[in-house]
Structures are given as C-alpha cells and as structure tokens.
Amino acid sequence: MKRLTLRKRADWQAQVERLGFAFHTIDGELYWDEGAAYSFSLKQIEEDIEAPTGEIEQMCFAFVARAVADDAILTKLAIPPAHWDLIAESWARGDRNLYGRLDLAYDGAGPAKLLEHNADTPTALFEAAVVQWDWLEQAMDQTLISPGRDQFNSLHERLIAACRNLWPALPAQMHFAAMADSVEDRGTVEYLEDCARQAGLVTRFVPIEDIGLLTDGRFADRDGRPISHLFKLYPWEWMFRERYGPNLRASGCRFVEPPWKALLSNKGLLAYLWEMEPGHPNLLPSFFEGDAAAASLGPRYIRKPLYSREGANVSIVENGKARGDAAGPYGAEGFVVQEAARIPDFGGRYPVLGSWLVASEPCGLGIREDATTITRDTSRFTPHVIEP
Amino acid sequence: MKRSTQIGLGAVGLILVASAWPESRNDNLVYNDAAACRADGKLTPEQCAQRFQEARAAHARDSQKYGSQGACEAEFGPGKCAATPPAASQTSGGHLWAPALVGFMVGRGLMASTSGQPLLPPTRETCPPGNASPECQPARSRSGGFGSWYSTTSGRPVATRGDGTAAATVASRGGFGSLGRGFSSGS
C-alpha cells in the first residue's frame, strides 16, 4: 500500500461535473482529490480487505439473528421497544439489504481493523462507484498514471443487479427519500435512483420532510401517491423517534435499508462482535462504556456514541482527557469505547478505507483521508488503484 | 478484473420515469351498500355482505352522536343525519342523531383483511355550505363512480376516484425529518 502523488487532469472539475458529481468541493474545501491515489497489490485487496469484509458481514448476520430474539441486547442498543417487532419481522421475512460500508484501518501490512459498520445510510457511494472509476480510465488514457492498473470496484453493476433482486417481483414503483437540503445526500440518492431505473424500477423522489400519512395508514409522497417501497437515506434511529415512528409498522411499507439494519448501524455492534469473537484479527477490542472489561483498554481509547454519523461526537480519550469531540447531536443513548486503531500516517494524511458491500457481497473500495485520525465529513475522497 | 467493465448513467432512466403511473392495486373500494358491492363483482357476495355488516356495526358504535337533529346537521349539512335507536343504557328515552351511513369502504391488496369501514357524508370542513363542486354532491353512482367526498367516523375526509376506488387522502405531513435538520443523514 502506497500513497502516490499524481498530476490532476487539467479539466478535472469539468470531468467530474460531466458525471453529475456536484460536491467535489464542499464549503470551499476540496472534497474530491485526485492529486493523490492509494495503490495496493491484488493480494492486499483480496486477502486483507475483500475476504475480511465478507467474513465480518457474516458475523454481523449472526449478531442480528441473536439480537432480534434477545430483549437485553435490544435494550442495550437503545432501540425503542415499540419497534422491536418491526425489526424482528423484517429479519424473519428476509427483507433484503442493498448496501453498506465497513470502515477499516489498514496500513498494508497487518490485518485490517473494523472501525465501524455504516450499515444504514452510507454515503460517499457515487464517488467510489463512478467518479474514481472514470478517473482511472482517463488517468491511464492520459498517462497520468501508468496503464494496466485495476481498481476494486464493481459497485455500479452490483447495485443494478441488487436493485433488480430486492423483492421477488419488481414493485410498481419505488420511492427514494432523503433530506432535501443536503447536497451530498441528494446526490447519493439520485445515483441510487439511476441504478434502480437501470434495473427496471420506476422511481420517484420525495423529500423525507414531505412524506405524508394517508387516512388508511400508508405513507404518501407529495402528490398523495401511496409509498409501498421506500429507499430512505435517513437513519432508522431517527425515524423510530419521530412523529411518524408509531405508523411505521402499520404502513405496510417495505424499506431499504430494511429495519433490521438498525441493529448494525448501532455502534453497540462493535462491543457485541468483540464479545462474540474476542481476539478476531479484524476486530478492535470494544466495550460498552461502564463495562468493567473496558478497563483493559488502557489509558488511550476512542469513545463513540451508539448513534453517530460523519464522526460527530467521537472523541479520543487519553489519560482521562477527551479531545476531538466534533460537535453533533449524538450521545444521549450511551457510548462504546474502542481500542484506538493505528491509522497509518502517509506524510500527514490519515486514510480510512471504506470497504463496500452490495447485497452483502464485498465489491468495492473508497478511501477518505483526513489531516487528523478521526474521519469526518470534511475528509477528502482519494481514488485508489491495484498494481498490475 | 476487479472493476466494472462499463458504467452507464441515466440512459434508461428517462424513459421509465415518463411512463404512466400504474393504478395501485391497494386502493380501497367504495360502495353505497351491499347490493352495489355485489353488482360491481370485485368481491364475492359473501364478502360484500360481511364487510357491509361490519361497516354498519362500526357506524352504530363509532359515529358521533348529537342531542338534536340541528346539531348534527350543523356539522354534516341538511338532510344528512338520521335518528338512532335509543341505546340500552340510555334512560331519557329520546332519540339521538348521527350522520347517516351513506357508504362503506373495503380494502384490497395490503388492506384486504381490514373490516368494512363506514362512510359518512362529508363534514362541513370538507364541503362547506354552498360548495357546488360535483364531489360535494350526494353520490349518484351505485359504486360511487362519479368521484365523491365522504368522511370517516373519526372525521377524516375520503375521496373517491371516477373508477369507484377511494384514494386514501393525506391526513398529515411532516412526520419525518425533524431530527435530521442541520445534520447530514449519511455516514
């Protein structure tokens, strides 16, 4: 694993905008950064990233199977009891999941370590699936990088195939919802809608704030059309607690990601995985805060809220002092503490690997690097290549 | 090769988005009575009878009762109310007034197992006095085929389409999205 410094395409902004990538620069800061790329051997990709990602997904399935039948686990995860049935039913029915992203710490040598599982509302998808793919094709054409390189990235074709197989038969239409005012979320949803259309689905977007409730208990879009199948780029833990939370089960709506994914997007997963497979080479020691065993972590560890996104409210604790506590709305439901992974230092840049799963199959990699060891929403996306 | 061989964006999408909106098979059916339901042929005669009976029972049980004809008509309009038999528990002996049962709604698809729901005349809120729009006139078709307004016993409006199915109406909006305000939902 190496960090290559590269010349950017002369017209890189125009090239990524051609793809419809609207957020290459966020609040004046570079987000898409093709001035660098991470380079891997095929062996590193297949043995150190792809295989462990599949293995961790299987461990997650074992955890969900256990959790849906265990009130103590659901309580510990701070899942409101009113939604336990919704979750258990979606699991028992075999509701399929579309995608997820494992965040891994990896330096090219030791085993990759699971930092967290973005199982419910992962973003940074379009740049991983399309923008870095297109970059590699052009960069090789323009000999900005030597030809013959590959990329761990079959996300696009897997997403289309997965959309086709979400349900036994294609529904008449599928709605897609996200917060209307988030450019990044909207972009992610537009891309997934595109994949769904290529899979043969009729799609309709509805801002999550505009969803309505019909007199018969179903959800509806802005035009009052019933929503029977909904992709929502909006966290389950929020939907559970909002005004329509009590209407979820009776709505008859089928959701992507399905309700059982709420058990995996919860950071409490990390403590349970460690409990189930203590010493697993791809796991970091993790515990619920206050658990007596957490003392084994030593004076330096990471503290994460059960619910947290984009690094919000995650802090590094050193000798009792917390730092890096990015502002955010999380933490009320409790915390897990996790051994501080060694995030490799590539000349002052700290990469975190996003290992993608589509329909639970590992099939892609997206890397975000930051100037600190907590990956936040200001981290840059950097493409990767596989050496010939 | 570990990467996709080609990526196509948006090519197919435009055509599919423009295609016609298919009628939902989960819409409700609306009938004036069991006979209209049988005549329509979408449900068996037994289903029609059962659902109508359920709606009648729910109407007697759930509809708002008024102490006078005037109080009831103030809400539902002239001629839209009927006297109800005195309940067993009622000692004063006088009639109570309730909005008339003018139809019933049965579910299909997802909602097929729900009981027949009584339909009342539209409330004044839905159809204010003097409103001459066709949907505020009494239903004329045996299957509600002109498109009409009704209300449920809890006062929610129900509108039928021209084909006699009831588009459930939007009762509220904005029940999601409050916690996400100002923060990214993604991770």
Side-chain angles (χ1 to χ4, degrees), chain A residues 183-227:
Chain A
V183 177
E184 187 187 2
D185 292 0
R186 188 75 185 85
T188 302
V189 167
E190 276 178 7
Y191 173 56
L192 283 170
E193 269 190 83
D194 193 325
C195 292
R197 286 194 294 265
Q198 294 193 48
L201 284 151
V202 176
T203 71
R204 289 171 191 280
F205 178 77
V206 57
I208 192 96
E209 307 93 320
D210 287 357
I211 287 177
L213 187 66
L214 295 173
T215 46
D216 64 7
R218 289 178 291 170
F219 294 123
D221 65 16
R222 278 203 279 209
D223 300 321
R225 294 189 193 93
I227 298 174

Side-chain angles (χ1 to χ4, degrees), chain A residues 61-74:
Chain A
F61 284 159
F63 169 68
V64 175
R66 184 183 151 201
V68 291
D70 189 332
D71 292 359
I73 294 179
L74 295 169

Side-chain angles (χ1 to χ4, degrees), chain A residues 62-282:
Chain A
F63 169 68
V64 175
R66 184 183 151 201
V68 291
D70 189 332
D71 292 359
I73 294 179
L74 295 169
T75 303
K76 196 87 176 165
L77 296 178
I79 309 279
H83 301 292
W84 291 359
D85 286 347
L86 178 79
I87 291 170
E89 285 163 8
S90 81
W91 177 251
R93 198 167 47 223
D95 284 0
R96 292 186 184 172
N97 79 111
L98 179 60
Y99 75 141
R101 193 190 75 230
L102 303 185
D103 284 350
L104 304 174
Y106 179 64
D107 62 4
K113 300 284 190 184
L114 176 67
L115 300 171
E116 59 188 60
H117 189 353
N118 298 286
D120 185 17
T121 59
T123 50
L125 176 68
F126 183 68
E127 45 274 47
V130 177
V131 183
Q132 71 166 345
W133 184 93
D134 189 64
W135 162 82
L136 178 60
E137 296 291 318
Q138 291 199 349
M140 289 194 296
D141 277 353
Q142 299 174 18
T143 62
L144 300 171
I145 191 165
S146 52
R149 302 199 181 191
D150 199 359
Q151 198 171 69
F152 181 32
N153 183 11
S154 57
L155 279 162
H156 185 73
E157 63 200 54
R158 302 288 188 114
L159 284 167
I160 295 171
C163 284
R164 202 174 284 131
N165 294 321
L166 279 171
W167 295 285
L170 288 186
Q173 82 286 322
M174 181 172 175
H175 282 82
F176 286 73
M179 298 285 287
D181 58 1
S182 165
V183 177
E184 187 187 2
D185 292 0
R186 188 75 185 85
T188 302
V189 167
E190 276 178 7
Y191 173 56
L192 283 170
E193 269 190 83
D194 193 325
C195 292
R197 286 194 294 265
Q198 294 193 48
L201 284 151
V202 176
T203 71
R204 289 171 191 280
F205 178 77
V206 57
I208 192 96
E209 307 93 320
D210 287 357
I211 287 177
L213 187 66
L214 295 173
T215 46
D216 64 7
R218 289 178 291 170
F219 294 123
D221 65 16
R222 278 203 279 209
D223 300 321
R225 294 189 193 93
I227 298 174
S228 61
H229 297 76
L230 178 67
F231 172 90
K232 42 108 218 136
L233 192 69
Y234 196 75
W236 273 117
E237 67 264 20
W238 292 353
M239 295 179 76
F240 289 158
R241 288 165 173 79
E242 290 182 343
R243 189 156 53 86
Y244 284 169
N247 304 99
L248 284 163
R249 195 167 164 225
S251 71
C253 188
R254 294 285 181 264
F255 297 95
V256 178
E257 298 297 314
W260 58 262
K261 275 285 191 97
L263 304 177
L264 298 182
S265 62
N266 187 303
K267 302 289 186 288
L269 168 76
L270 300 167
Y272 280 110
L273 288 182
W274 183 251
E275 180 198 297
M276 289 162 70
E277 299 268 352
H280 190 286
N282 298 114

